[in-house]
Amino acid sequence: MSSVLSRLFACAFGLAVAGTPLLAHADGQDFVTIERGRYLATAGDCISCHTAPGGKPFAGGRGIMTPFGVIYTPNITPDRDTGLGAWSNDQFVAAMQHGVGQNGELLYPALPYPYYTKVRRDDLVAIKAYLDTLDPVRNEAPPNGLPFPLNVRTALLGWNMLFFTPGEFKPDAAKSEEWNRGAYLVEGLGHCGACHTPKNQLGGDKTDKVLAGGVLDEWYAPNLGSDLRTGLGAWSVEDIVQYLKTGRNAKSAASGPMAEVVYYSTQHMTDADLKAMATYLKDRPSAPAAPAPKPLPAEDPVMKAGLAVYQDNCSACHVSTGAGIARLFPALKDSAVVQADEVQTLVRIIDQGTRATATKTAPTGPGMPAFNWKLNDVQTAAVITYIRNAWGNAAAPVSAEDVKRIRGRLTDTAATP
């Protein structure tokens, strides 16, 4: 059987299973089930995508920018007309595990069902039990902004055949219980690959580069592999846990979309689950990393110009050595984001500014001001090139044309909760 036919069979089998009654029933009124669902919904960060700016929590209507157009998230409160109030558990599980809506329509993978398919059925039913306890909010999401033929949902059947492999997570018997718990959370409910795995031209995961870093709405989600220069190779398990728990560590601080993840999700997770995720990330095999380029010499004219911009605008917080101030201003020296092949995050932060997330254990979220009123494309390119090649860093230079192109695509999504 060809791989395409195998996937078609798998999808059809998955839909058939999704249409059958639950074999294992969960009591939707059971407090323990509801509390477990609340924790799991938090771990899955449902509130981030399903809450519009200024809107009611979980009532949907937030626009998710994709390379193909904007997709608005649905209302997942128990309102019967515009939310999940009339959905059965089976319908909810079918949506999460197979990308199929209440009436059998195919859902866009902006709902990360290619990852949620790994979540166990009983966990999904618990999440539904928790969502059913929310206050119902009547709110119908706006129509999606997708052009023809992408607005024809039947086209997703082909996408699913090519890029979607349904199936719950299968533990690896050769690994520890902690490792498997981490893999379940990272690969499934946490859907880390939705941002951190690069996508092909059709929006499918590049399966040979899982968690190797991706771009979403002009933010770069860093490589979660073990590469010392561009990944988590220099981070310990404790570094990762501290970052997810507090939003910062001695090496970095969470801002942009990751600030939402920490604020709404990971800071509320148990230390055991965070350590399990870190253990899995540190142990998994990485995609092959490109060798480091030769850094530009300090005598290069662009480096000299970048140094001048850095001394005038950046060194007060990030200090002259690029070491930053631990847990306050991120280090630029040895930074994976600074040395990444993609520079969208650097351009965006310099252009729009940002703020590190504030958490229960680190309640002050330090901010960086916008410099779009002060630095032109040439100056921005020079300072980015400088920080990518100073203090032992090594990365390709950035041109003014690169900066102009990225600036032209920026949207106002830099808000930090």
Side-chain angles (χ1 to χ4, degrees):
M1 184 182 294
S2 71
S3 60
V4 171
L5 286 175
S6 297
R7 288 170 183 267
L8 180 60
F9 174 79
C11 289
F13 178 73
L15 291 175
V17 169
T20 61
L22 279 172
L23 297 178
H25 293 277
D27 182 356
Q29 301 299 311
D30 175 65
F31 177 77
V32 174
T33 300
I34 292 170
E35 275 300 289
R36 187 163 66 90
R38 181 192 59 77
Y39 179 81
L40 294 169
T42 300
D45 198 19
C46 305
I47 193 171
S48 281
C49 288
H50 290 278
T51 304
K56 298 286 188 182
F58 299 101
R62 177 172 181 174
I64 303 297
M65 297 302 300
T66 78
F68 314 105
V70 62
I71 295 178
Y72 289 94
T73 56
N75 179 356
I76 58 172
T77 73
D79 180 70
R80 291 190 63 83
D81 296 325
T82 64
L84 298 180
W87 286 52
S88 68
N89 285 344
D90 287 345
Q91 290 168 333
F92 182 74
V93 172
M96 297 288 278
Q97 287 192 335
H98 302 284
V100 179
Q102 185 185 23
N103 299 310
E105 73 277 17
L106 298 177
L107 303 177
Y108 291 105
L111 169 70
Y113 62 85
Y115 306 96
Y116 290 157
T117 191
K118 294 178 179 291
V119 182
R120 293 195 310 268
R121 188 180 183 88
D122 62 316
D123 279 348
L124 293 174
V125 171
I127 291 173
K128 177 65 163 53
Y130 164 68
L131 294 175
D132 285 345
T133 69
L134 301 174
D135 291 335
V137 178
R138 183 175 180 81
N139 183 46
E140 191 157 4
N144 295 324
L146 295 174
F148 179 83
L150 300 177
N151 59 350
V152 179
R153 289 179 182 266
T154 52
L156 290 166
L157 185 60
W159 193 95
N160 284 341
M161 290 171 59
L162 291 170
F163 306 121
F164 175 46
T165 303
E168 293 185 4
F169 175 78
K170 303 298 183 188
D172 184 341
K175 299 293 185 180
S176 67
E177 183 178 347
E178 180 181 59
W179 188 97
N180 277 299
R181 175 66 176 174
Y184 178 69
L185 291 168
V186 169
E187 294 180 11
L189 204 53
H191 60 285
C192 303
C195 294
H196 289 276
T197 295
K199 306 295 185 267
N200 59 34
Q201 291 185 332
L202 295 177
D205 283 353
K206 292 183 177 179
T207 54
D208 61 336
K209 295 183 178 180
V210 173
L211 299 181
V215 176
L216 182 67
D217 193 17
E218 303 306 322
W219 284 97
Y220 175 70
N223 178 1
L224 300 183
S226 60
D227 186 70
L228 284 170
R229 188 174 64 89
T230 61
L232 295 177
W235 290 38
S236 66
V237 167
E238 291 73 24
D239 288 333
I240 298 172
V241 170
Q242 186 178 58
Y243 179 85
L244 296 175
K245 192 72 178 181
T246 70
R248 68 206 66 173
N249 58 23
K251 305 177 187 299
S252 189
S255 61
M258 194 62 201
E260 290 190 16
V261 173
V262 172
Y263 182 82
Y264 290 115
S265 177
T266 57
Q267 71 160 322
H268 305 290
M269 295 176 67
T270 65
D271 291 349
D273 273 351
L274 296 181
K275 183 170 182 288
M277 294 171 69
T279 298
Y280 168 70
L281 287 173
K282 289 294 294 181
D283 185 66
R284 61 178 302 280
S286 299
K294 186 178 179 180
L296 291 183
E299 298 76 22
D300 186 284
V302 176
M303 289 290 283
K304 289 183 176 180
L307 171 61
V309 175
Y310 183 83
Q311 288 177 328
D312 287 345
N313 300 280
C314 315
S315 60
C317 296
H318 295 288
V319 311
S320 61
T321 63
I325 298 175
R327 297 174 185 81
L328 189 61
F329 300 118
L332 305 181
K333 173 182 168 55
D334 299 328
S335 166
V337 172
V338 168
Q339 298 179 89
D341 290 340
E342 307 287 351
V343 296
Q344 285 86 346
T345 294
L346 299 177
V347 174
R348 178 188 279 278
I349 289 177
I350 292 172
D351 186 86
Q352 298 183 333
T354 191
R355 180 173 292 281
T357 188
T359 57
K360 291 183 295 184
T361 50
T364 300
M368 171 170 161
F371 284 91
N372 55 1
W373 62 277
K374 187 176 184 181
L375 301 181
N376 60 30
D377 295 342
V378 173
Q379 293 167 316
T380 301
V383 75
I384 292 176
T385 297
Y386 172 73
I387 65 175
R388 285 163 64 82
N389 290 277
W391 319 301
N393 287 350
V398 177
S399 70
E401 290 72 24
D402 293 332
V403 172
K404 181 178 181 179
R405 174 174 46 80
I406 294 171
R407 274 179 159 165
R409 296 198 300 245
L410 292 180
T411 56
D412 185 21
T413 58
T416 298

